[in-house]
Amino acid sequence: MVRRRVLEAKECAPLGSQAAHHKCANTKCVNPDHLQPVTHRENTAEMLARKSLVSRVRELEAELARLDPGNDLLDLVPVI
């Protein structure tokens, strides 16, 4: 991904198993000053803390309900 390459260029080293984390929370951002290398665990923990994953799941569920109101996936336990 572009943001990963941008961060590797800024750090002058490959990220290896680390992720390119957006400090600004804008996943489309490629500003090197807004990116930092983190472990996948740190990246997931931060994403859960700001509830972006839950928001995204809700958006996708709403779109699925609009496109296919009878879809079996909509009967699963809702995201809290």
Side-chain angles (χ1 to χ4, degrees):
M1 297 194 163
V2 173
R3 63 184 174 266
R4 186 174 179 83
R5 300 294 175 245
V6 168
L7 186 54
E8 287 176 335
K10 177 185 176 189
E11 299 287 317
C12 299
L15 292 180
S17 64
Q18 290 188 307
H21 173 69
H22 297 88
K23 294 187 274 186
C24 63
N26 178 356
T27 58
K28 295 179 182 174
C29 177
V30 293
N31 182 334
D33 294 331
H34 295 184
L35 299 171
Q36 68 184 33
V38 296
T39 66
H40 288 288
R41 176 175 275 177
E42 292 168 328
N43 199 35
T44 301
E46 193 278 334
M47 183 176 57
L48 290 171
R50 65 180 156 84
K51 299 187 177 168
S52 66
L53 180 61
V54 172
S55 295
R56 183 65 178 138
V57 168
R58 286 187 181 137
E59 288 173 12
L60 293 170
E61 286 177 336
E63 186 63 9
L64 179 58
R66 185 182 74 77
L67 294 171
D68 185 8
N71 191 297
D72 291 341
L73 291 173
L74 296 169
D75 293 333
L76 298 177
V77 177
V79 175
I80 297 172

